[in-house]
Amino acid sequence: MKRVALALGLPVVLLTVWWFASADSRSFYQPPLRTIVAVFPHTWTWARIRGDVAPSVIRLLIGYGLALLVGIGLGVAIGANRWLRSLTEPILEFLRAIPPPVLVPVLILVFGLGDRTKVLVITAGGIWPILLNTVEGVRGVDEVLVDTCRSYRIRGPLRLRAFILRAASPQIVVGARQALSIAIIMMVIGELLGTTNGLGYTVIQFQRGFQIPEMWSGVFVLGLLGVLLAALFGLAERRILRWYHAVRAAERSRP
């Protein structure tokens, strides 16, 4: 209960300040918060959620899942092989320096308009934190445990699952958390061009139609989606890294 109160305390304070600070606003582009709240029920109906929010979430989950799959797979291969790491490092440094939004026109040019391109935009943005953190996590495994696995002839899938992925999982999770935020941003960017549905498309349509309160409500929906996904990610993280948090707690409890 205390954790929930702490998590909700600052947002409640900020919304309260915004409510009263904007109460007398006459600006067309900065309407009072009460006006934004008032348009929510008739703006975000079940039909709009099904037609715009659901497609965005589906594309986000697919793109993010592909980023996890490819990022972890390549990261483990590169991190575990010194020769491969030396070969790919210049290319990785070059590609990571390219801002993901710049790739959007390139992907549209190559793959055209459609859901596939939007998924690839999300994947292209989210893959780098996962890949680079996985490489560092695999490189940082304990050498003593590496020698132990070699002595006991623990090889193949068992070594990968029980040792490498587990040892690198704290670093992988850090990259996955960073990638989630980037994936949400890339989801919106991908929906701004050549699409007919999605949260990004809806927000830009409200803006072009000078439906400013509705536009702000769309920004709120995006924020709420981010909060929900972050909470779900936190639950998954606590489950995946349960052993890691137990070790850290035991270390802190030592005199």
Side-chain angles (χ1 to χ4, degrees), residues 156-222:
L158 178 61
R159 182 174 182 270
L160 174 65
R161 176 178 55 83
F163 171 54
I164 294 178
L165 288 178
R166 180 175 288 267
S169 58
Q171 195 79 14
I172 295 174
V173 168
V174 170
R177 180 178 288 277
Q178 295 171 353
L180 180 60
S181 301
I182 297 174
I184 295 173
I185 295 171
M186 296 306 296
M187 176 196 75
V188 176
I189 293 175
E191 292 174 349
L192 296 180
L193 300 172
T195 187
T196 57
N197 62 13
L199 276 169
Y201 168 81
T202 302
V203 170
I204 201 68
Q205 289 301 113
F206 285 149
Q207 183 263 332
R208 289 172 178 171
F210 294 97
Q211 297 172 278
I212 304 304
E214 288 80 1
M215 181 196 74
W216 280 106
S217 71
V219 175
F220 265 98
V221 171
L222 282 168

Side-chain angles (χ1 to χ4, degrees), residues 106-127:
V106 178
L107 292 173
I108 292 176
L109 183 65
V110 175
F111 296 102
L113 298 173
D115 287 343
R116 179 176 61 176
T117 301
K118 298 178 186 65
V119 169
L120 291 175
V121 166
I122 297 168
T123 303
I127 192 173

Side-chain angles (χ1 to χ4, degrees), residues 66-82:
L66 287 174
L68 284 173
L69 184 64
V70 177
I72 294 175
L74 289 178
V76 169
I78 295 171
N81 190 309
R82 186 175 301 175

Side-chain angles (χ1 to χ4, degrees), residues 110-156:
V110 175
F111 296 102
L113 298 173
D115 287 343
R116 179 176 61 176
T117 301
K118 298 178 186 65
V119 169
L120 291 175
V121 166
I122 297 168
T123 303
I127 192 173
W128 297 109
I130 301 169
L131 173 60
L132 298 175
N133 277 277
T134 301
V135 171
E136 292 303 315
V138 174
R139 288 183 61 187
V141 297
D142 193 336
E143 290 296 332
V144 174
L145 295 177
V146 173
D147 292 336
T148 302
C149 284
R150 188 179 297 114
S151 300
Y152 283 96
R153 297 182 180 180
I154 301 175
R155 301 169 182 169

Side-chain angles (χ1 to χ4, degrees), residues 29 62 181 231 235 238-239:
Y29 298 104
I62 296 174
S181 301
L235 293 175
R238 283 193 290 272
R239 183 175 181 83

